[in-house]
Amino acid sequence: MLPIPPPRPELGPLKPLSSARTSFTRRADGVLVLTIDHDVIRGVTPPILRWWFENLGETMEHAGRTWPRYLLWHPRDHIHWELARRSPTGGTGQRAYFRIVEAFNADPRFYVDSTEYVEKLDDEGISLVRTIAGAEVFRLEHRFREVEGGSEYRSRMTVGLALPLVGPAFNRWVRPRLLSDEAARAWLKHNVEEVGLLEHLLPAVYPRPVAALVP
């Protein structure tokens, strides 16, 4: 278990949970479904969001110090990001594997260390998938759409095994070890905060001025 690092500088104010529309649903088979319709990400286009996910492993300068970008993406909760396996084209794009380590609310009870397959990464969004013994147990989809002044950003997470017979038992006994109900609610807040910071972070790291790119 990697230690939770000290808090980092905040690149902008963290948006409250109330800035987004969220839902928390536990289906009859025990699968969790979480959704977030985020506040508009101002001054950022979908191609810039794609670029961000393709360059998560790089560093950035802030206040006279070099930081891993991932650590500044959330000033408390992020712990570590690494490219666990490169994409077929050799980079961090579609069909790569990302290792993501974080603790929602900087709380060790909500510690997550997960390696996920990048099923999709393009100007429409990113999809991350985790499987166990070939069966999907986790899916996180972020979808982007350009709107006036920035980007619409919607998130949907499903956690659990959607299979007859074995699925309900897995979701009752194993799924809470992957993500408990309490951790899932903490993730809603965490994701609203990190997505909201993108409108402050991306203008600082994108290689071209972003203001002229947004209608």
Side-chain angles (χ1 to χ4, degrees), residues 5-213:
R8 280 79 65 190
E10 294 186 12
L11 301 185
L14 298 179
K15 291 186 178 182
L17 186 64
S18 60
S19 69
R21 295 194 307 273
T22 66
S23 70
F24 176 104
T25 304
R26 190 188 306 107
R27 297 189 331 210
D29 62 358
V31 172
L32 281 185
V33 181
L34 311 174
T35 68
I36 307 174
D37 289 349
H38 295 271
D39 192 14
V40 171
I41 305 175
R42 302 290 174 183
V44 175
T45 61
I48 298 174
L49 291 169
R50 173 183 180 172
W51 175 89
W52 168 250
F53 285 104
E54 290 176 337
N55 293 274
L56 265 178
E58 304 298 326
T59 60
M60 64 179 290
E61 300 297 321
H62 179 71
R65 178 176 170 182
T66 300
W67 297 86
R69 290 177 182 174
Y70 185 72
L71 287 187
L72 290 189
W73 189 14
H74 196 290
R76 295 188 305 272
D77 298 359
H78 284 180
I79 298 171
H80 178 70
W81 180 95
E82 69 179 76
L83 182 60
R85 185 186 300 176
R86 295 184 179 275
S87 72
T89 58
T92 59
Q94 191 163 293
R95 298 170 63 191
Y97 283 81
F98 292 175
R99 182 188 176 199
I100 298 168
V101 187
E102 53 195 356
F104 312 135
N105 292 336
D107 189 330
R109 295 176 302 157
F110 306 144
Y111 180 91
V112 174
D113 185 341
S114 181
T115 298
E116 296 154 12
Y117 174 66
V118 183
E119 182 183 81
K120 173 186 176 73
L121 179 52
D122 55 28
D123 289 352
E124 295 179 346
I126 181 171
S127 298
L128 301 172
V129 178
R130 181 180 176 186
T131 62
I132 295 177
E136 182 178 308
V137 297
F138 170 90
R139 173 176 291 271
L140 176 58
E141 298 176 328
H142 299 297
R143 292 294 177 263
F144 322 139
R145 186 173 70 89
E146 188 166 341
V147 296
E148 183 177 358
S151 291
E152 177 183 85
Y153 194 115
R154 294 183 174 181
S155 303
R156 177 183 171 88
M157 177 191 285
T158 57
V159 188
L161 187 60
L163 291 177
L165 301 179
V166 297
F170 178 95
N171 297 330
R172 181 177 181 182
W173 301 109
V174 181
R175 192 274 299 163
R177 300 180 185 178
L178 298 177
L179 191 75
S180 68
D181 288 6
E182 191 176 13
R185 295 186 188 280
W187 175 82
L188 290 171
K189 175 176 177 289
H190 163 86
N191 194 244
V192 168
E193 292 174 343
E194 68 177 358
V195 170
L197 272 180
L198 289 175
E199 64 188 28
H200 302 284
L201 193 159
L202 281 168
V205 297
Y206 192 66
R208 290 188 292 158
V210 301
L213 302 178

